[in-house]
């Protein structure tokens, strides 16, 4: 059975964001608007998503 992954896309700028949120987005590997990354679906990733949910778009993908 394949592991679940999450495709995360940065849709809003981090310019006016709280520094903690900006650091979270950058630690996820997102640098530019429109860029996407695929991360594993685990508790740590879900926590990061919850913190910056207003800046990103999340989709589930099967890999």
């Amino acid at each position: 059975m394949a592991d679940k992954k999450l495709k995360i896309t940065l849709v809003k700028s981090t310019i006016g964001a709280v520094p903690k949120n900006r650091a979270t987005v950058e630690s996820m590997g997102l640098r530019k608007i429109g860029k996407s990354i695929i991360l594993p679906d685990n508790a740590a990733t879900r926590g990061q998503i919850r913190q910056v949910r207003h800046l990103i778009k999340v989709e589930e993908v099967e890999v």
Side-chain angles (χ1 to χ4, degrees):
M1 186 170 167
D3 292 331
K4 283 194 175 182
K5 302 279 185 172
L6 298 173
K7 181 180 178 184
I8 303 166
T9 306
L10 185 63
V11 293
K12 286 185 74 178
S13 174
T14 59
I15 289 174
V18 177
K20 184 176 180 181
N21 290 353
R22 189 178 308 154
T24 300
V25 169
E26 192 163 328
S27 72
M28 293 171 82
L30 295 168
R31 304 283 192 275
K32 295 183 178 183
I33 295 175
K35 291 294 184 177
S36 297
I37 55 167
I38 296 179
L39 294 175
D41 186 6
N42 58 29
T45 303
R46 290 283 179 167
Q48 288 180 322
I49 290 169
R50 195 174 308 113
Q51 188 176 13
V52 293
R53 63 184 172 265
H54 58 287
L55 301 173
I56 59 175
K57 180 177 79 170
V58 180
E59 304 169 41
E60 287 187 11
V61 292
E62 291 282 334
V63 177

